[in-house]
Amino acid sequence: MALIAELPGPGQVLVCGASRGIGLALCQRLLARSDVERVFAVSRRATASQALQTLAQQHPGRLVLLDCDARDESALADLASALRQQCSHLHLVLCTLGVLHEAPARPEKSLAQLDLASLQAAFLSNSFAPILLLKHLAPLLRQHPATFAALSARVGSIGDNHLGGWYSYRASKAALNQLLRTASIELRRLNPLSTVLMLHPGTTDTDLSQPFQANVPAERLFEPAFTAERLLDLVARHGPAHNGAFLAWDGQPIEW
């Protein structure tokens, strides 16, 4: 199956949040494919990541490491400028950015635990960074088949919220969904071959989920490699006809 719908040849791919967890697993899976020409691995300390350096040595010329703190818009502008010097277009952007319990963000259990610092940290990483990444990369996603897929979360669904709690995380993922849904409409006008997807990866064994794994059945706790494979399968199966969709790892749509 092709990397994305209607892709005529090998793809140029960017993974943001590439140095660990799902992002690293995506880089590994992508580099194992013959229809991927090059992967741009972006994270705050990509060039210092031993795992990414090892991958780069295993795939000479196919993995480019780029340092960028996506929470800083000037850094995103610099990233886009650096990319334009190396490629004329991107076919696939995978954004795995997200924070749940990295201070000052935290998974609040009650209103009393809410504070401005936690809210700002959650929205900065979970909402603002992904949409600003798309803003600055948008010129590289025009006039050819292109997909921008970001990790959202089922708990960002307002209709599916029956338990409460996790105020900042829920709200910031709901905001991400609205921002990307809105962007999908604009991008479709600019490029009818574009697709924007919001993907719930399921509970994956990463630093983000580690404190909350105790009550997750073993068969529902996924290894990053499995999650990466499922996400790439979703991307391959959902093209422009599914633009703006919010999907779970198993392909089922999630209510807003």
Side-chain angles (χ1 to χ4, degrees):
M1 186 175 295
L3 181 68
I4 63 171
E6 302 185 51
L7 184 65
Q12 302 272 355
V13 185
L14 183 143
V15 179
C16 190
S19 63
R20 59 182 183 174
I22 296 173
L24 178 60
L26 283 167
C27 289
Q28 293 166 335
R29 297 293 299 181
L30 287 162
L31 289 166
R33 299 178 61 120
S34 61
D35 59 353
V36 172
E37 180 177 352
R38 190 164 42 168
V39 176
F40 296 94
V42 178
S43 74
R44 278 177 277 177
R45 292 176 291 274
T47 56
S49 166
Q50 186 59 54
L52 287 176
Q53 289 178 7
T54 299
L55 267 183
Q57 292 168 3
Q58 294 170 348
H59 302 273
R62 294 184 64 217
L63 183 65
V64 180
L65 310 185
L66 297 170
D67 295 332
C68 176
D69 187 341
R71 301 169 299 181
D72 178 352
E73 188 172 6
S74 64
L76 288 172
D78 291 342
L79 171 67
S81 178
L83 284 166
R84 285 195 295 271
Q85 296 176 28
Q86 300 190 55
C87 68
S88 60
H89 53 269
L90 292 168
H91 297 106
L92 174 60
V93 175
L94 296 161
C95 178
T96 70
L97 300 173
V99 63
L100 173 56
H101 55 82
E102 184 179 319
R106 57 178 176 168
E108 310 94 347
K109 294 182 179 179
S110 68
L111 279 168
Q113 292 181 335
L114 275 173
D115 60 55
L116 184 59
S118 179
L119 285 162
Q120 288 177 328
F123 274 80
L124 182 58
S125 291
N126 298 338
S127 312
F128 304 153
I131 194 64
L132 290 173
L133 175 70
L134 177 54
K135 167 191 169 181
H136 287 280
L137 297 186
L140 295 171
L141 300 172
R142 296 179 182 173
Q143 298 179 347
H144 54 81
T147 295
F148 182 97
L151 295 193
S152 185
R154 188 181 295 275
V155 296
S157 165
I158 295 174
D160 192 53
N161 184 358
H162 305 293
L163 297 176
W166 289 21
Y167 284 84
S168 298
Y169 190 72
R170 286 184 185 275
S172 60
K173 288 297 188 178
L176 172 67
N177 291 345
Q178 180 69 294
L179 288 165
L180 290 179
R181 176 77 175 194
T182 303
S184 73
I185 297 168
E186 178 178 352
L187 289 177
R188 174 180 281 168
R189 298 191 191 110
L190 298 172
N191 178 8
L193 295 177
S194 67
T195 306
V196 176
L197 299 172
M198 292 135 276
L199 305 178
H200 166 59
T203 304
T204 304
D205 188 9
T206 64
D207 292 341
L208 185 145
S209 69
Q210 198 281 328
F212 314 102
Q213 294 177 7
N215 295 323
V216 179
E219 69 274 11
R220 303 293 288 187
L221 180 61
F222 305 142
E223 290 298 318
F226 173 83
T227 297
E229 183 178 358
R230 295 304 305 152
L231 293 173
L232 291 176
D233 184 67
L234 283 175
V235 168
R237 294 178 182 277
H238 295 84
H242 309 95
N243 185 39
F246 181 21
L247 303 168
W249 65 273
D250 57 2
Q252 295 300 308
I254 302 175
E255 63 178 319
W256 300 104

